[in-house]
Amino acid sequence: MNATHLAIQVEKQSIYNLSEEELTSWVIKQGIQPFRTKQIWKWLYQKKVNSFDEMSDLSVGTRALLNEHFSLASLQEDKVQYSKDGTIKCLFTLNDGNLIETVLMKHNYGPSICVTTQVGCNIGCTFCASGLLKKVRNLSSGEIVEQILCMEYKLNEGRGTAKPKKISHVVVMGIGEPFDNYDNVLRFIRIINHKAGLAIGARHITISTSGLATKIKTFAEEGLQVNLAVSLHAAKNGLRTQIMKLNKAIPIELLMEAVDYYLEKTNRKVTFEYILLKDVNDQPSCALDLAELILSGNRRHLIYVNLIPYNPVSELDQYQRSDPESIAAFARMLRAKGVNAVIRREHGTDIDAACGQLRSKQLRQ
Ligand code: SAH
Ligand code: SF4
């Protein structure tokens, strides 16, 4: 391949970046009949083809135009890890050589995927492997959609002619801060939720944010039924700032104002994620602070707490996982105060389970 070929290839954008309306305008601009969009989307999201040439009900000319303008494969598999519990973790190389990771988990309610939204993260949480490497760039919506398609392919590998399994749940909790890549993440959600797209129900999609207050308010206005999770990790400013640098700029008062706005506007539940770090934020006094914070507002009965056992990250030795008794006691104290709290079931603990760990390991190598 010569340099000109390469330049042309790099310029092609993923066809999965385009909403149905955007593809229709492109189609019209090329002089193709608008109804072709429906056919193209069917090939992309229902038949899930790997090349434009497989789109057999399109003319050769239309397929050539698609080939010339768009790419279908922005992700190349670099490494795969299989856990005993069925979890699959994949490291992908993007077209520009950057690395991302995606995790597929098997739940009793169906296969669920955890997608990455940025190459690295700038929020700077002191416990997180993803944050060890600064943000290089945002992912396009197409690159996020393709994570689902690639993992669905892995899910069906070796199943022969059996009815293909579908990924039913999506959590936006991989590398990156989704609300720092707001527009692309929203576009991604609209595409996977669209009934002619991947048709994944909004209630089966969860976005997790570290707490970008203004974006939480904007999100409240979107009219989406998508679930919102907020990474809290501490109920007092001093401790939260120690754990998450972001809290300096957006302290708990501002965050709670945005959460209250979201609750008021949507009447939907919000999940607070709380990583339990031994002797840092797992003491009984921290549970009481958390209960007090949650119970002091009008609609805060809509707040649920997800307690997350910490996955140690080898580069970050200041934190240890809380012992199971402390985790159980923390949950009991919250419940005794009337707060809904669950302890998150873990997946893939025998592989590099912490978000961003596989990528940071590979980059060090
Ligand atoms: N940036 C967003 C979404 C990605 S992180 C956010 O922070 O919410 C998704 C979740 O994984 C967050 O709740 C985060 O706190 C958690 N997480 C990150 N590193 C972890 C680790 N080593 N062990 C357990 N959970 C971790
Ligand atoms: Fe970024 Fe989330 Fe990791 Fe914090 S926990 S550094 S916000 S990915």
Side-chain angles (χ1 to χ4, degrees):
M1 191 182 294
N2 62 34
T4 333
H5 272 117
L6 202 62
I8 290 169
Q9 276 215 336
V10 171
E11 273 166 27
K12 282 196 210 177
Q13 69 157 321
S14 164
I15 191 155
Y16 301 105
N17 277 334
L18 272 61
S19 66
E20 210 190 16
E21 299 75 42
E22 286 163 344
L23 184 60
T24 306
S25 352
W26 180 83
V27 156
I28 293 171
K29 234 165 64 201
Q30 303 300 319
I32 303 166
Q33 293 128 308
F35 75 89
R36 297 286 179 197
T37 301
K38 286 216 157 32
Q39 284 174 303
I40 298 171
W41 263 45
K42 201 164 179 184
W43 286 111
L44 293 176
Y45 297 112
Q46 278 147 53
K47 300 192 178 162
K48 298 174 184 161
V49 292
N50 295 316
S51 79
F52 293 115
D53 297 327
E54 288 172 69
M55 301 183 171
S56 55
D57 54 4
L58 300 180
S59 72
V60 174
T62 302
R63 283 185 256 164
L65 274 171
L66 288 168
N67 259 319
E68 193 187 313
H69 287 87
F70 300 112
S71 82
L72 273 170
S74 318
L75 270 49
Q76 299 300 323
E77 190 181 302
D78 183 296
K79 215 173 221 147
V80 194
Q81 292 181 329
Y82 295 91
S83 158
K84 282 194 271 283
D85 66 15
T87 302
I88 305 174
K89 190 161 194 171
C90 223
L91 188 70
F92 292 111
T93 311
L94 304 174
N95 280 342
D96 59 4
N98 278 306
L99 292 173
I100 58 161
E101 58 185 65
T102 310
V103 185
L104 179 87
M105 291 151 291
K106 293 178 185 162
H107 292 282
N108 46 13
Y109 51 77
S112 159
I113 186 176
C114 175
V115 293
T116 282
T117 54
Q118 297 182 312
V119 179
C121 183
N122 277 347
I123 301 296
C125 301
T126 51
F127 55 81
C128 175
S130 303
L132 282 173
L133 300 155
K134 289 267 156 273
K135 178 175 102 174
V136 179
R137 69 168 173 88
N138 285 330
L139 293 199
S140 69
S141 50
E143 287 168 326
I144 315 176
V145 172
E146 285 191 44
Q147 292 174 53
I148 302 188
L149 295 169
C150 287
M151 287 314 241
E152 208 167 81
Y153 183 80
K154 294 222 85 55
L155 181 67
N156 287 300
E157 244 172 9
R159 297 189 68 249
T161 51
K163 188 167 176 257
K165 285 189 184 169
K166 272 195 72 180
I167 288 174
S168 59
H169 290 70
V170 176
V171 294
V172 186
M173 290 191 186
I175 302 171
E177 167 47 50
F179 282 175
D180 183 37
N181 183 14
Y182 190 86
D183 293 345
N184 290 348
V185 168
L186 263 281
R187 173 189 289 265
F188 154 75
I189 284 171
R190 294 210 157 92
I191 291 174
I192 64 165
N193 177 234
H194 198 297
K195 52 182 189 324
L198 288 175
I200 297 175
R203 285 163 194 268
H204 287 189
I205 302 172
T206 303
I207 294 200
S208 171
T209 177
S210 54
L212 303 192
T214 46
K215 290 290 169 21
I216 292 176
K217 288 185 177 173
T218 312
F219 188 65
E221 311 281 349
E222 300 283 355
L224 288 165
Q225 303 292 305
V226 168
N227 307 309
L228 179 67
V230 174
S231 296
L232 189 71
H233 310 321
K236 292 271 191 225
N237 279 322
L239 184 56
R240 191 164 188 264
T241 305
Q242 185 190 319
I243 298 173
M244 306 169 77
K245 288 184 213 143
L246 165 87
N247 194 69
K248 222 179 203 158
I250 309 173
I252 292 174
E253 297 71 31
L254 267 184
L255 172 61
M256 290 311 291
E257 190 210 322
V259 168
D260 283 336
Y261 180 86
Y262 178 90
L263 296 173
E264 187 69 43
K265 199 88 201 162
T266 64
N267 209 26
R268 290 182 57 74
K269 91 176 206 203
V270 167
T271 302
F272 276 178
E273 289 162 287
Y274 194 103
I275 286 193
L276 286 155
L277 306 163
K278 188 177 170 61
D279 300 332
V280 175
N281 67 351
D282 68 344
Q283 301 89 328
S285 62
C286 296
L288 293 178
D289 291 342
L290 179 57
E292 195 186 318
L293 178 73
I294 292 175
L295 298 170
S296 61
N298 272 343
R299 315 185 72 77
R300 306 240 179 115
H301 57 280
L302 291 170
I303 295 177
Y304 286 63
V305 175
N306 209 342
L307 297 171
I308 310 174
Y310 178 57
N311 282 312
V313 175
S314 47
E315 299 94 320
L316 305 168
D317 53 11
Q318 78 258 47
Y319 295 123
Q320 278 88 47
R321 164 192 286 248
S322 303
D323 39 69
E325 301 77 54
S326 309
I327 299 177
F330 200 96
R332 268 199 312 274
M333 285 190 81
L334 289 177
R335 289 178 197 138
K337 290 278 171 191
V339 173
N340 286 298
V342 292
I343 300 168
R344 182 184 287 175
R345 228 192 91 207
E346 295 184 85
H347 292 269
T349 41
D350 52 337
I351 54 179
D352 295 302
C355 126
Q357 217 173 12
L358 179 57
R359 173 173 178 260
S360 68
K361 210 180 196 178
Q362 178 83 352
L363 288 174
R364 264 185 290 127
Q365 280 168 10

